[in-house]
Amino acid sequence: MPPVPDPRISLVFALCGIFALGARGAEPAIAGPSVDFLDRHCLLCHDAVERKGNLDLEPFLARPFDADALRVWTKIHDRVRTGEMPPKERKRRPEAAESASFVDGLATAISAFENDKITRDGRALKRRLNRYEYENAVRDLLGIPILSIRDSLPEDAVAHGFNKVGEALDVSHVQIARYLSAADDALRQTLASRLHAPPSETRRYYTWQQGRGFVKSVGPQLRKTFPIVGLDLQVDLIADRNVRRGTNFHPNLGELSVPGREELEAVVMLQSTYEPSYVRFERFRAPVTALYRLRFSGYGVWMSPDYQQTSRGRTVEPISIYAAAPRNLRKLADFDFNPDASVQEVEVWLRAGETIQPDAVRLVRSRPPDFKNPLQEADGMPGVAFQWMEVDGPLLDDWPTAGHRLLFGDLPLREVPVSPANEAQPTAAKDQRGPAMRIEIVSSDPVADADRLMRGFVAKAFRRTPTEDEIRSFLALVHRARDADFSFQDAMIAGYTAVLASPGFLYFQGEPGRLDGPALAERLAFFLWNSPPDDTLRALAADGSLLKPEVLRSQVDRLLDDPKSMRFVEAFLDYWLDLREIDSSSPDGNLYPEYQLDEHLTESLERETQLTFAEFLRRDLGASALVDADFAMLNGRLARHYGVPGVEGALLRPVTLPADHVRGGFLTQGSVLKVTANGTTTSPVLRGVWVMEKILGHPIPPPPAGVGAVESDTRGATTIREELAKHSTQESCNACHRMIDPPGFALESFDVMGAWRDQYRSVGEGTPVPGVGHNGFNFIYKLAQPVDSSGTVEHVGEFTDIRGFKQALLKNPERIARNVTEQFLVYATGAPIRFTDRPAVERILEQTRAADHGLRSLLHALVQSEPFLIK
C-alpha cells in the first residue's frame, strides 16, 4: 500500500501564496529639490567624474524623488543642515540663508513623500514573527516555558540592527516547511505521555548511588569532619577493587547489597581541581516535562598537594546546575557551597528524560601528564564535595496539563500498543514489564469534537478574532486527514500545525493608521515581553481600555515588572549590543591560557550585561549610565576579573565600584569587549565602529573596495596604533578613521575578554611571564609593547585613557539618549527611523529631560508617541 500523503504538505504552497500578497505597490513620484543649489555647490565634487565619497548625484537629478533615493536625499539634507557640506575649506560656500532655504525645501519633499507612503501602507511593513518571537508565542500558548524550537527555524535576516524589521523578514517555501515541522514537534511534546499523572513525591539521591562520576581521594580525613555510618565501607570498596586513590573510579554502587547504605550521607564523590571531574545524578530522570524543586547538599573541602587527604574547606565555591540529556547540557541555576555543609534549593523546569549534573565551575578542567593547578597553594587546593540531591516533583497543578487540554479538552485517554505504524510517535512510553505502549485520544464524535476543539484553539492562538472562513479552512484540513486514515489525534495535530504556520498566527495585526486595541496589545507585548499579550492585556484591548493613556502607562509598568521582561532584555541586547556573538570566538590558548575552558566567566559576562540593563530599567537610570555608572553587576568570578575586591560567590548582584574605577556602563563590560575582539587580538577599528554605531548612533560606511584590514602584530614588534597610522594616511580611509579610531584606542586597555592590560601580549618579542593557565599549562606568552589608550574626540578634546573618554562622551548625554530612543523605536515597531519620526523622537527627549532621560521614562514616552501608536 503506498504511503498516505500528509495533507499538511499542500499547506506549504497555499500559505506561500497568501504570504506573497501584500507586496509593495508602485511608489508615488514626488518632485525633487531644486537643482540650482546642487549645481552650484555639490556637483563639482559629486558627479560621474569625481564621485567624492563614492557619491554621484547626477542619476538622482534625472529621475523623480522616490524610495530608492530617499536615503541619499536624507543624508544630503543632514550634511548641509549641520554645515558639514559643502566642505569648510571650499572658497565659495553658500550663504546661511541659501543653505537654510535648500534644507527646508528638501525637508518638505522628503516629508511629503514619507507621509504619502505612511497614509497608504502604514509606517511599518506588515511582518511575520521572528524566530525568538515564534518560540515564545508557542511556549506561552502551550504552557511549556522551556520549549526549544528556535534553532530549528532559519536564521532571521537583520535590517537596521535588529531581526524585527519587516523589510528583512521574508517568507519562503523552506521557511513555511520549517514552521510546520517545528509546530508539529511542539504540539506532540504537549500531549500527555501517560494515562495518569506521575506521583509528586520527594526522593533523595545519594552521590554514591549514582552509576557515573569520579570518586576522588576519599580518605580518613573526611571521617573527622563527618562521622557518618558507611564512610569506611566506601574506602574499603576502593581498596577491594585495587583502584589507586587519586584516579578515576566508576563503580555502580547502587547495585551492591550493603547494610546501612541508606544512611550514608557523607561524600563519596569529590570534584577536585585535578581532572575534569563531575557528578551526574543519573538515578533520577524527569518523568514528564514539568516544574521540579531540587535540593543539593554539599560543602567545600581542602585537598592536600598529593590529593590523598582532605580537610575543611577554606573558600566559597560557585556551583552551576545543568539539565543533562544526550549531547546537550542546559544551564538551570547557580548557588554557592561554603566550607560548612549546606542545603541549596532551586525550582527549575525539566524536560522529560533529563537528569541533573552539578558542576563546581571555578575549579580547573585539565588532564595530566603536564598539568599544573593554578589554584594550588603550598599546602593544597580547593575542592567540592557533593552529598546528595533531593527532588520534589513533578509539581503539577492538573493532569493532563493545560497545554494538552487546550488541544484535546477532556476527551478520554487510552493506552494502545506501539505498532510499526506509530512506533515513532513521540508520545510512546515503554513499560519495562510489558510491551511498549502509547497514549491515544479517544473521540466518540470526531466531527463535533473537531469543530469545538479547533474553534477554541484558534481563538487562543490568534491575537485577534478569527474569521469563520479561517476556522473552516483548518477544519477542512482535519477532515481531509481523517479521510486519509489519520487517527483523530493526528488529524487534529495536522490542523493545529496549520494554525501555527498560518498568517493569523505568524503575522502581526493592524492596518495602516492608528492601532486598535488588539493590535496595540500585540505591539506592546512583543515589545516588552518579546511574546504575545496575556489575558489581562487581551481583556483591556477588547473593551478599549488599553487605548487610554493612563491605562497604557500602568500596563507598561506591569510588563516591565514581570519576569517575562527578561525576554525583552535578552533579545534587545542580543542585537543592539551584539551579545548573540559572545560565543563566536574563543580566547587563544597561547596568548590567553587563563581563560581556557572557563565557561563560568563567559556565562557571567553575558549575564552581567543583561542584568545591568534590567537594573537600569528598574531604577530608571539616565541614558548616561550606559556609558558610566557607579555600580556593576558582579559575582566572585567577575570581581576577580575586573579587580574589584570583597566579592565572592556565584550570585550576580549590584556592587558599588571604588571611586574612579574604570568599570561601570557598557563600554567596559567584558561581554562587549569580547564580541568586539577575535580571541587572539583586539581591533581599535572594530571597537571604534561599535561605539560609534551602538552607543552614539552614528553609522559608519563600509571601507572602500580594495582596502585591506589592519591586523595586530602578535609577534610584539609593532602596535596596532602604529599600523593604523600607516593605514590612515590613505585619503579614502582618513575621514572615517578620525571618528572611529579614538574610541577604539580608548578601549585598547582591555584584552580580548575585557581584563585590564598595560602591555600587549605576544608569542615573539617581550618579557616572559611566570604562571599557570586555567588549562593547566605554564604561560608561554610574553609582555611586549605598552598600550597607549589616548586620543582626541573631534569638537570635544583630548583624553588619556578610558576614564577621560567616558567624560568626553558624557559632555553630550542627549546624543546617547537620542540613540537609545531610536534603538527602542526600531525594535518596538519593526520599522526603521524615518525622517518624519524625528520630531517625535525630539518630543520624547523633551518629555524625559527632567528625568535625565531615564530608560524607563524613555519607554513610557515612546509607548505614548505617534510612531508607536500607528501601524
Side-chain angles (χ1 to χ4, degrees):
M1 178 178 176
V4 176
D6 189 333
R8 291 169 295 158
I9 297 300
S10 61
L11 269 177
V12 174
F13 303 100
L15 291 173
C16 278
I18 295 173
F19 292 143
L21 300 177
R24 301 180 203 178
E27 304 286 4
I30 295 179
S34 169
V35 299
D36 184 54
F37 182 93
L38 299 169
D39 187 50
R40 285 186 289 115
H41 300 293
C42 304
L43 288 176
L44 184 64
C45 296
H46 299 292
D47 60 3
V49 177
E50 293 294 329
R51 294 181 60 88
K52 290 286 184 70
N54 200 31
L55 174 62
D56 175 12
L57 284 175
E58 289 182 338
F60 295 99
L61 299 179
R63 70 186 193 202
F65 193 89
D66 59 21
D68 292 335
L70 184 64
R71 178 183 58 83
V72 174
W73 290 123
T74 302
K75 184 178 294 186
I76 292 170
H77 170 278
D78 293 345
R79 296 289 174 84
V80 176
R81 182 178 61 84
T82 60
E84 183 180 347
M85 288 291 166
K88 291 181 172 57
E89 57 267 23
R90 286 280 303 275
K91 292 182 179 180
R92 181 186 172 192
R93 300 191 77 238
E95 297 291 334
E98 185 183 5
S99 293
S101 176
F102 171 78
V103 167
D104 290 344
L106 190 50
T108 300
I110 294 172
S111 298
F113 175 81
E114 283 196 352
N115 286 330
D116 181 76
K117 188 177 187 310
I118 290 171
T119 300
R120 290 183 300 108
D121 303 327
R123 179 182 172 276
L125 291 177
K126 196 173 185 70
R127 75 165 179 93
R128 64 167 172 83
L129 306 182
N130 64 36
R131 61 184 194 150
Y132 285 63
E133 295 163 335
Y134 186 82
E135 180 180 77
N136 287 334
V138 178
R139 281 178 171 180
D140 290 359
L141 178 66
L142 301 181
I144 310 177
I146 55 171
L147 183 68
S148 180
I149 55 176
R150 181 196 308 173
D151 291 339
S152 65
L153 299 172
E155 186 80 35
D156 297 307
V158 176
H160 305 282
F162 292 99
N163 63 340
K164 282 180 171 263
V165 178
E167 63 194 56
L169 296 177
D170 60 348
V171 175
S172 65
H173 289 77
V174 172
Q175 194 100 28
I176 297 172
R178 293 283 191 89
Y179 280 127
L180 291 170
S181 176
D184 180 86
D185 179 59
L187 290 163
R188 293 188 184 279
Q189 289 186 48
T190 309
L191 297 179
S193 58
R194 53 183 69 202
L195 288 178
H196 306 290
S200 182
E201 55 186 2
T202 300
R203 292 193 63 184
R204 180 172 292 183
Y205 300 84
Y206 293 102
T207 313
W208 62 270
Q209 291 176 313
Q210 307 311 304
R212 112 181 244 186
F214 296 94
V215 177
K216 306 293 287 181
S217 296
V218 180
Q221 189 67 33
L222 282 175
R223 293 202 303 275
K224 296 179 181 179
T225 306
F226 295 93
I228 300 175
V229 174
L231 188 58
D232 286 336
L233 170 65
Q234 177 63 22
V235 177
D236 292 339
L237 283 170
I238 293 177
D240 290 345
R241 292 177 181 239
N242 298 314
V243 178
R244 183 171 59 85
R245 289 175 181 165
T247 61
N248 295 346
F249 180 52
H250 304 261
N252 190 345
L253 298 178
E255 300 301 320
L256 298 176
S257 177
V258 181
R261 67 181 182 190
E262 291 79 6
E263 289 75 36
L264 179 60
E265 295 187 16
V267 170
V268 295
M269 290 189 182
L270 298 175
Q271 175 154 344
S272 78
T273 54
Y274 186 69
E275 294 184 26
S277 56
Y278 62 87
V279 175
R280 183 175 286 184
F281 288 96
E282 289 190 324
R283 290 301 179 95
F284 164 76
R285 296 278 175 178
V288 294
T289 299
L291 184 67
Y292 294 81
R293 186 176 299 111
L294 309 179
R295 301 183 190 89
F296 297 88
S297 179
Y299 51 91
V301 298
W302 194 256
M303 303 185 68
S304 62
D306 61 2
Y307 299 93
Q308 302 306 307
Q309 300 293 322
T310 57
S311 59
R312 189 177 188 274
R314 307 174 187 175
T315 57
V316 173
E317 292 299 332
I319 307 296
S320 289
I321 303 300
Y322 296 87
R327 299 179 299 280
N328 182 54
L329 283 179
R330 185 170 57 85
K331 178 77 169 287
L332 297 176
D334 294 302
F335 54 76
D336 298 323
F337 274 157
N338 300 299
D340 294 323
S342 65
V343 176
Q344 305 294 328
E345 180 177 293
V346 295
E347 282 194 359
V348 297
W349 273 81
L350 298 176
R351 299 186 181 112
E354 286 183 327
T355 189
I356 300 299
Q357 180 174 312
D359 183 18
V361 291
R362 191 176 76 94
L363 304 186
V364 180
R365 290 143 179 78
S366 299
R367 290 186 178 275
D370 299 321
F371 166 78
K372 297 179 180 62
N373 193 330
L375 299 178
Q376 184 164 345
E377 299 179 16
D379 63 343
M381 68 215 75
V384 169
F386 297 94
Q387 293 176 282
W388 46 259
M389 176 184 75
E390 196 171 76
V391 181
D392 288 349
L395 306 177
L396 297 166
D397 294 327
D398 295 294
W399 189 263
T401 62
H404 175 101
R405 295 197 308 276
L406 173 64
L407 302 180
F408 291 103
D410 56 358
L411 292 180
L413 308 175
R414 69 182 177 195
E415 285 187 330
V416 297
V418 172
S419 65
N422 63 26
E423 62 184 1
Q425 291 291 342
T427 52
K430 194 167 283 240
D431 186 341
Q432 300 300 327
R433 297 164 299 176
M437 308 292 287
R438 67 183 293 264
I439 300 300
E440 184 176 83
I441 287 93
V442 179
S443 171
S444 59
D445 190 347
V447 173
D449 287 338
D451 186 88
R452 172 177 56 85
L453 294 171
M454 183 59 72
R455 290 179 183 278
F457 182 80
V458 176
K460 186 76 171 176
F462 282 15
R463 299 173 297 279
R464 59 166 172 79
T465 303
T467 67
E468 186 64 23
D469 285 344
E470 287 172 321
I471 293 174
R472 290 185 183 278
S473 67
F474 298 129
L475 285 172
L477 179 64
V478 173
H479 298 324
R480 286 201 301 272
R482 291 281 293 141
D483 292 342
D485 291 331
F486 276 52
S487 69
F488 175 77
Q489 171 181 304
D490 289 344
M492 290 300 299
I493 288 179
Y496 294 148
T497 299
V499 174
L500 298 184
S502 69
F505 185 78
L506 278 178
Y507 267 69
F508 280 80
Q509 310 308 311
E511 298 301 326
R514 205 163 189 84
L515 298 176
D516 62 12
L520 179 57
E522 180 182 59
R523 174 169 283 185
L524 182 64
F526 277 103
F527 176 27
L528 299 181
W529 280 353
N530 213 37
S531 54
D534 62 359
D535 290 342
T536 299
L537 269 182
R538 292 177 70 147
L540 292 171
D543 66 14
S545 299
L546 190 61
L547 301 176
K548 300 175 181 178
E550 65 276 12
V551 175
L552 187 55
R553 182 178 181 84
S554 69
Q555 289 304 300
V556 168
D557 281 330
R558 182 178 72 86
L559 268 61
L560 286 175
D561 293 339
D562 190 281
K564 280 186 183 179
S565 64
M566 286 305 296
R567 294 177 175 180
F568 157 59
V569 170
E570 293 164 6
F572 180 70
L573 297 182
D574 266 1
Y575 284 85
W576 177 38
L577 303 185
D578 291 332
L579 278 198
R580 68 190 187 283
E581 305 291 343
I582 191 141
D583 292 322
S584 62
S585 65
S586 298
D588 182 270
N590 292 325
L591 287 169
Y592 298 98
E594 70 269 44
Y595 302 139
Q596 288 286 290
L597 306 172
D598 195 349
E599 296 91 349
H600 183 45
L601 174 59
T602 302
E603 290 173 351
S604 298
L605 291 174
E606 181 179 20
R607 200 60 178 162
E608 174 201 8
T609 302
Q610 293 167 346
L611 293 179
T612 297
F613 190 69
E615 187 73 0
F616 288 169
L617 287 172
R618 186 184 70 82
R619 292 162 57 176
D620 196 24
L621 294 184
S624 59
L626 300 173
V627 169
D628 197 22
D630 62 0
F631 75 95
M633 302 295 293
L634 301 179
N635 58 14
R637 181 65 187 92
L638 280 181
R640 288 193 297 275
H641 189 58
Y642 291 162
V644 178
V647 182
E648 291 186 325
L651 178 66
L652 284 157
R653 67 272 197 189
V655 175
T656 300
L657 294 169
D660 204 32
H661 201 278
V662 297
R663 307 294 170 171
F666 286 150
L667 294 182
T668 55
Q669 288 188 348
S671 62
V672 165
L673 296 161
K674 185 176 188 300
V675 300
T676 54
N678 63 15
T680 301
T681 60
T682 61
S683 168
V685 176
L686 292 179
R687 285 179 170 174
V689 169
W690 188 95
V691 173
M692 294 302 298
E693 295 187 342
K694 304 296 184 178
I695 302 299
L696 300 180
H698 189 115
I700 302 297
V707 176
V710 181
E711 301 290 344
S712 298
D713 178 13
T714 59
R715 298 168 302 170
T718 61
T719 67
I720 187 66
R721 183 183 284 264
E722 292 169 336
E723 296 297 324
L724 279 172
K726 301 176 195 174
H727 175 82
S728 298
T729 58
Q730 302 177 54
E731 183 181 354
S732 60
C733 302
N734 188 44
C736 284
H737 279 281
R738 285 202 308 268
M739 290 188 292
I740 62 180
D741 288 355
F745 290 146
L747 297 177
E748 276 296 277
S749 293
F750 303 94
D751 68 18
V752 299
M753 291 290 282
W756 181 266
R757 65 184 177 189
D758 294 308
Q759 291 174 270
Y760 292 103
R761 296 184 182 188
S762 84
V763 291
E765 301 180 16
T767 305
V769 178
V772 178
H774 202 268
N775 58 5
F777 296 98
N778 289 329
F779 293 162
I780 64 171
Y781 71 85
K782 300 173 183 177
L783 293 181
Q785 302 284 347
V787 172
D788 180 359
S789 59
S790 64
T792 302
V793 178
E794 284 190 313
H795 311 302
V796 175
E798 297 180 352
F799 61 87
T800 58
D801 59 14
I802 183 61
R803 299 176 184 87
F805 178 69
K806 285 184 176 183
Q807 293 309 307
L809 291 186
L810 293 179
K811 288 181 179 179
N812 186 6
E814 197 151 284
R815 183 180 183 184
I816 301 164
R818 180 177 293 104
N819 173 60
V820 73
T821 300
E822 292 179 348
Q823 301 295 331
F824 282 153
L825 194 55
V826 175
Y827 181 92
T829 64
I833 299 298
R834 304 189 183 281
F835 187 87
T836 47
D837 293 330
R838 293 178 176 185
V841 171
E842 295 307 312
R843 281 192 293 273
I844 290 171
L845 294 176
E846 182 180 350
Q847 291 166 9
T848 59
R849 194 166 288 124
D852 294 327
H853 308 300
L855 295 189
R856 197 178 186 105
S857 296
L858 287 175
L859 290 181
H860 273 299
L862 184 147
V863 168
Q864 304 279 350
S865 71
E866 192 71 12
F868 188 85
L869 296 173
I870 64 171
K871 188 265 182 188

